[in-house]
Amino acid sequence: MYIGGIFLELIKSQYHNCFHINLQATLLRFNKNNKFFWHQAGLFYEKGNNTLPKIITYYKNFKNLLVEFGIDTETYKYENTFDIVNDIKKFTENNYVISLELDSYELPYCLSYHGDHDVHWLEVVDYKNGKFYVYDHYFGYEGEIEESVLLKSLESLKKHYKLSHNKFYIFKNSNENYTLDEDWHTENIKLNRKVMFDNYLGELITNKNEISVGISAINSLEQDIVIMIDKLKRERNSKLDKEFEHYFVSFKEIAKSRYNYSIYLDELGKKELAEISMVLYQNWIAVANILMKSFYSNNFNDIDIRIGKRLNLIKELEGKLKI
């Protein structure tokens, strides 16, 4: 499909979450270097009080980073779901691609349909005869969504996650002649190390007292996983299961960041560092798989020892990622 003279297609990637794959699609449409964009490989861990833990690997505001690639971001927020739907119609009439946040619980083609609530992102590109045309890159769906279904998914997101508003983004290609010099790349590598070894917080962390950073975050994760394993050995309940499942999904996200960082380093010609980061990816995936297998088999014997060995290797490898 062509929108405003730009060709749109589904983007497939097992190394990006739903929001990041929307950004990836945007970068490709505007002919930007995707391999250079995905260079953040930090680690921040906040256990949370009566909430799911927060585990992230990035430290730059994505809007600021897009500007460095010549892309401006416009954010639109709405308290009323009918208002956001009406504005989406207006923007698509003018050939804009909408990056929209909603709840996959109400999307019929999703595995979580009427099962689990989940914050999800897709792209809306057109509206005709009561139906929106979307690209859901993460789930590999290109096709129509009834207006009533989109409304329900927006309402469900606000209600389940207790949000004051719904939102979407529009991205505009403001500078086709952007440049990323050698100093910019050198700084990226240094910043990753500052996060992992010098407690660098970056642009996103506001409450530093409740968060573990870098190698300390790995140590904290190991301690909390061991505690949770002990609890699961004694009992299983939905709250514990949900929290444990969140951990191994988050470990996969950490692994993806190391994979993408490896691709970035390889693109720069730093082959040795790229290989180290790829081994890091493999070890983080191994940790996630160990947790997942024990979770579904309900067999937690010795996994604390196995995970401990992997995490020690990971810390050793992180120390080698330097220039």
Side-chain angles (χ1 to χ4, degrees):
M1 175 183 288
Y2 282 88
I3 299 291
I6 298 175
F7 180 66
L8 303 181
E9 61 181 339
L10 280 176
I11 304 299
K12 297 180 181 179
S13 174
Q14 64 188 81
Y15 303 109
H16 294 89
N17 61 34
C18 58
F19 179 64
H20 286 172
I21 203 169
N22 268 16
L23 293 182
Q24 185 186 24
T26 299
L27 290 161
L28 288 171
R29 277 198 298 272
F30 293 152
N31 199 29
K32 311 295 184 178
N33 191 320
N34 245 300
K35 294 179 180 179
F36 283 167
F37 190 84
W38 307 103
H39 58 259
Q40 298 177 76
L43 184 58
F44 303 91
Y45 170 51
E46 183 178 358
K47 185 176 182 180
N49 297 315
N50 298 317
T51 60
L52 291 175
K54 185 177 181 181
I55 303 170
I56 61 174
T57 60
Y58 41 90
Y59 46 85
K60 296 182 179 182
N61 182 300
F62 81 90
K63 295 179 185 179
N64 296 340
L65 183 55
L66 283 172
V67 168
E68 297 186 66
F69 283 74
I71 299 174
D72 290 336
T73 305
E74 294 181 359
T75 307
Y76 295 85
K77 298 180 180 181
Y78 302 80
E79 293 182 3
N80 186 290
T81 50
F82 289 98
D83 289 340
I84 188 173
V85 168
N86 286 332
D87 270 11
I88 290 172
K89 294 176 187 176
K90 293 175 184 177
F91 276 111
T92 55
E93 283 178 7
N94 290 296
N95 295 325
Y96 285 106
V97 176
I98 308 296
S99 187
L100 179 65
E101 180 187 43
L102 35 66
D103 187 351
S104 61
Y105 179 86
E106 293 290 352
L107 298 178
Y109 59 83
C110 291
L111 291 174
S112 56
Y113 179 59
H114 287 179
D116 296 316
H117 293 273
D118 199 9
V119 177
H120 186 56
W121 290 84
L122 50 70
E123 293 186 314
V124 185
V125 301
D126 198 9
Y127 176 81
K128 288 179 182 176
N129 303 319
K131 297 178 182 180
F132 289 96
Y133 200 87
V134 306
Y135 284 85
D136 192 328
H137 304 286
Y138 188 79
F139 286 113
Y141 176 76
E142 175 189 349
E144 296 176 333
I145 294 180
E146 296 279 352
E147 181 176 344
S148 59
V149 171
L150 197 74
L151 268 169
K152 285 192 290 185
S153 69
L154 291 167
E155 291 167 353
S156 179
L157 182 74
K158 281 180 65 177
K159 180 179 180 181
H160 185 76
Y161 292 97
K162 298 179 174 59
L163 303 178
S164 61
H165 59 265
N166 293 106
K167 67 182 178 186
F168 64 75
Y169 297 122
I170 288 178
F171 303 112
K172 295 182 177 181
N173 192 12
S174 58
N175 182 8
E176 296 183 1
N177 299 313
Y178 73 101
T179 56
L180 305 170
D181 59 23
E182 186 176 344
D183 289 343
W184 186 83
H185 293 297
T186 299
E187 183 66 11
N188 289 334
I189 297 172
K190 288 181 177 178
L191 286 179
N192 281 332
R193 285 194 57 76
K194 281 183 70 177
V195 172
M196 295 308 297
F197 292 96
D198 299 327
N199 292 322
Y200 174 70
L201 298 177
E203 303 171 358
L204 304 176
I205 305 302
T206 55
N207 190 355
K208 63 181 180 180
N209 295 324
E210 297 183 7
I211 199 158
S212 300
V213 184
I215 297 300
S216 295
I218 297 176
N219 294 332
S220 297
L221 279 168
E222 182 178 5
Q223 292 170 7
D224 290 342
I225 285 293
V226 169
I227 292 171
M228 186 167 293
I229 289 169
D230 186 60
K231 290 179 181 178
L232 288 167
K233 285 179 179 178
R234 289 184 274 112
E235 66 168 327
R236 295 289 294 266
N237 59 61
S238 59
K239 183 180 179 181
L240 266 179
D241 283 359
K242 187 174 183 180
E243 187 173 353
F244 192 76
E245 187 175 20
H246 184 78
Y247 273 107
F248 66 69
V249 170
S250 296
F251 283 169
K252 284 188 174 182
E253 289 299 309
I254 299 171
K256 291 175 185 177
S257 73
R258 273 51 185 178
Y259 176 89
N260 290 319
Y261 189 40
S262 176
I263 300 302
Y264 170 77
L265 291 167
D266 188 69
E267 184 78 353
L268 291 178
K270 299 184 181 297
K271 304 297 183 181
E272 184 176 344
L273 294 180
E275 289 176 6
I276 293 171
S277 194
M278 188 60 72
V279 176
L280 275 166
Y281 157 72
Q282 293 163 354
N283 277 277
W284 277 113
I285 279 291
V287 171
N289 289 339
I290 290 169
L291 290 172
M292 186 167 56
K293 183 177 180 180
S294 65
F295 178 79
Y296 287 113
S297 66
N298 200 29
N299 181 0
F300 298 98
N301 294 330
D302 298 327
I303 70 164
D304 51 343
I305 297 172
R306 294 170 63 195
I307 288 172
K309 288 180 179 179
R310 289 281 184 175
L311 293 179
N312 283 335
L313 177 57
I314 284 169
K315 286 183 284 187
E316 180 184 329
L317 289 166
E318 288 285 356
K320 295 180 180 180
L321 275 178
K322 58 185 178 181
I323 55 175

